[in-house]
Amino acid sequence: MLPHISAGLRRSVAAVALGAAVALAAPAAPAAAAPQAAAAAPTAVTAPTGAWAAGTRAYLVITAPGDTSAVRAAVTGNGGTVFAHYDAIGVVVAHSASASFATTMRGVSGVQQVGATRTSDVPADAYSPALPPAPTQSATTLTESNRWDMTQIRADQAWAVTTGSAAVKVGVLDTGVDDRHQDIAPNFNAADSVSCAYGRADTRAGAWRDVGTHGTHVAGTIAAAKNGKGVIGVAPGVRISSVRIAEPTTSMFFAENTICGFMWAGDHGFRVTNNSYYTDPWMFNCPDDADQAAIIEGVRRAQAYAEGKGSLQVAAAGNSNYDLANKTTDTSSPNDSTPVSRRITNACVDIPTELPGVVTVAAMGRGNVKASYSNFGRDVIDVAAPGGDGSNGVYSTLPGGKYGNMNGTSMASPHVAGVAALMASVDPSLTPADIRARLASQATDTACPSDSRCTGTTAKNGFFGEGQTDALKAVGGSTPTPGAYFENTADVTIVDNGTVESPVTVTGVSGNAPAALKVGVDVKHTYRGDLVLSLVAPDGTVYLLEDFANNDSGDDVVKTYTVDASAETAAGTWKLRVRDVATQDTGRVDAWNLTF
């Protein structure tokens, strides 16, 4: 596993640009408080004031679904307090400072399993949680462009069919979301947002806010608004709800928090949830351990409940470059106290990503390649999506109106969640099982590389599962006709005070170019204010794409321009011309393309 800075986030390999570094892979003006859940919803029971004491631990006490009153009475009668209870799935979240609590409760009639969810104390903050602060917002001068991750899954083409329906709610179960961010605010759903930190719903306005940066980044990848600013999410027309399941300071995601999140998702009509984390403190939960067996069962029931209410869970596979189909050791657990090295088997599961019904997502770098850090495993990975790798990060929203890159399976999973949301938008009748099946059947087959760890076929293998997710297929869009897309990926060095050109030869396209010729540009440069970009037609006609302001100190140009080239013959050699008008800063044309 990659080193943890804290907790079970699917730690991103890098977080750069305008945001604090995190190792993964997210304030608001007061908004309307989320409504209390309906009859079947989680029932939170307030612990007595001052109940916390050193040594207080959290437990899942599991019984038959239905009325848990007898078991709750047994909890209080045996040295515990009931912190929350979820009668619909027969799960009680109990706190106790008694070392014998679990053993005693396992002997109570009607109790099926009992398990400690932590190897550390429950924080005192659980009894009177502080609201996360609202970060000051910064306006952006960034304009939207077709980023590599979106073009790789053809989201930019899917938007011509649909950007998603506002009737579709996507839950971000994460560190929280900055709902005032200029790219998230238009799609944020405060009424169904909540904090589930510590295992019970906190519906106070703003409890959903980000206690890190991770959740806001994930939310932007799913549904950043198509508003001309910053970035565009995979499904920019759907609604985002924040369910903060990370605890402040540690950013840990314990089982009771995940259970609360899934129950909330089911009772609040979320069609999709994204889960870019593993359930702390165990990277893998093993059924031969009584505590971990209770964690498996409790979270499994909550996931099944959410799915039964129409919610599909999408989860990150993890960033340890680990074969999930051949488990042998775990050296990083428990991560809330002192990790130990232990032998494990395939019976031990990564929660929630390996639970039945959950879509497990591996990460790809730029192109048809496995991201170096991504977990893998034959018949474990369902689909793959861009997660970034090295210098090619996934660029998305950060708290305070900012933006930045992160790499990780945490970044891959929200791409798939966004595609699932587009599916639900175009066909509201789809069940979670339907969407899960279509994500598989509509993925683009991706063959194994020359790597003996990747086993299986091109259609289904351990690195990519059923293949790379495809947003255009998801919305029923048609594939561009052969020859309509042309790209040059050869690097061309840009020198100071010089002009360079990169050619693309178009064949097989008759007649004139379209009035909306798409010119995709990926230029790496340390000061884009030096640059002037132009498209040169086969007959030599020059079309100015952009003359950047001299004081634009930003790095790189990654965007798509639209050119009225209807006066030009399509076939022939087109060129991207890049002129550098100053000294000191240099770069390269990394790639560019034409879409007819």
Side-chain angles (χ1 to χ4, degrees), residues 471-534:
L472 184 61
K473 289 182 184 176
V475 299
S478 60
T479 302
T481 56
Y485 178 85
F486 302 87
E487 184 176 29
N488 186 343
T489 60
D491 289 353
V492 177
T493 300
I494 301 170
V495 297
D496 280 336
N497 284 311
T499 299
V500 298
E501 293 181 340
S502 176
V504 162
T505 300
V506 174
T507 60
V509 180
S510 60
N512 283 8
L517 176 65
K518 301 297 183 182
V519 185
V521 174
D522 186 348
V523 171
K524 299 296 188 286
H525 200 276
T526 52
Y527 194 95
R528 62 178 173 235
D530 293 353
L531 301 180
V532 179
L533 306 184
S534 302

Side-chain angles (χ1 to χ4, degrees), residues 218-572:
V218 165
T221 297
I222 297 170
K226 200 172 188 294
N227 57 2
K229 302 175 183 177
V231 298
I232 311 172
V234 176
V238 304
R239 301 283 281 166
I240 283 289
S241 299
S242 173
V243 181
R244 178 167 68 84
I245 60 173
E247 297 179 6
T249 307
T250 64
S251 285
M252 285 193 168
F253 300 69
F254 293 99
E256 59 269 35
N257 310 1
T258 303
I259 289 169
C260 172
F262 286 160
M263 298 298 288
W264 184 270
D267 287 320
H268 289 260
F270 295 176
R271 295 302 310 275
V272 183
T273 71
N274 185 80
N275 302 269
S276 291
Y277 60 92
Y278 70 77
T279 301
D280 296 299
W282 306 98
M283 181 184 292
F284 301 105
N285 287 270
C286 301
D288 59 355
D289 178 281
D291 291 327
Q292 294 167 43
I295 291 172
I296 295 170
E297 180 61 13
V299 181
R300 183 200 66 78
R301 289 188 185 187
Q303 193 293 122
Y305 178 85
E307 183 169 347
K309 293 283 189 173
S311 177
L312 175 71
Q313 277 55 254
V314 178
N319 300 335
S320 301
N321 196 23
Y322 192 100
D323 187 351
L324 297 174
N326 293 284
K327 302 185 183 85
T328 57
T329 58
D330 173 18
T331 60
S332 65
S333 305
N335 65 1
D336 66 335
S337 55
T338 303
V340 297
S341 180
R342 58 180 181 145
R343 298 287 297 177
I344 62 173
T345 69
N346 285 351
C348 303
V349 290
D350 183 337
I351 294 175
T353 197
E354 287 191 274
L355 289 177
V358 175
V359 176
T360 305
V361 183
M364 302 178 74
R366 185 168 186 166
N368 293 328
V369 295
K370 172 189 173 294
S372 59
Y373 52 80
S374 181
N375 285 355
F376 56 97
R378 188 171 179 178
D379 297 323
V380 178
I381 301 302
D382 291 309
V383 291
D389 205 1
S391 61
N392 289 308
V394 172
Y395 195 71
S396 187
T397 48
L398 294 173
K402 300 175 183 178
Y403 300 83
N405 286 302
M406 290 187 186
N407 296 336
T409 55
S410 278
M411 287 57 255
S413 181
H415 285 88
V416 176
V419 171
L422 290 177
M423 288 183 175
S425 297
V426 296
D427 188 350
S429 69
L430 295 177
T431 66
D434 293 334
I435 297 174
R436 191 163 53 242
R438 291 193 185 189
L439 282 170
S441 65
Q442 295 178 355
T444 301
D445 291 344
T446 307
C448 281
S450 297
D451 188 325
S452 61
R453 299 174 302 163
C454 185
T455 60
T457 65
T458 298
K460 185 177 182 182
N461 57 62
F463 275 13
F464 310 112
E466 299 282 355
Q468 181 168 230
T469 196
D470 189 315
L472 184 61
K473 289 182 184 176
V475 299
S478 60
T479 302
T481 56
Y485 178 85
F486 302 87
E487 184 176 29
N488 186 343
T489 60
D491 289 353
V492 177
T493 300
I494 301 170
V495 297
D496 280 336
N497 284 311
T499 299
V500 298
E501 293 181 340
S502 176
V504 162
T505 300
V506 174
T507 60
V509 180
S510 60
N512 283 8
L517 176 65
K518 301 297 183 182
V519 185
V521 174
D522 186 348
V523 171
K524 299 296 188 286
H525 200 276
T526 52
Y527 194 95
R528 62 178 173 235
D530 293 353
L531 301 180
V532 179
L533 306 184
S534 302
L535 177 68
V536 183
D539 67 357
T541 302
V542 178
Y543 295 85
L544 177 66
L545 299 177
E546 188 162 5
D547 182 352
F548 288 90
N550 293 342
N551 62 353
D552 185 344
S553 61
D555 294 343
D556 305 338
V557 183
V558 183
K559 62 192 301 184
T560 298
Y561 299 92
T562 301
V563 175
D564 182 355
S566 56
E568 305 294 337
T569 301

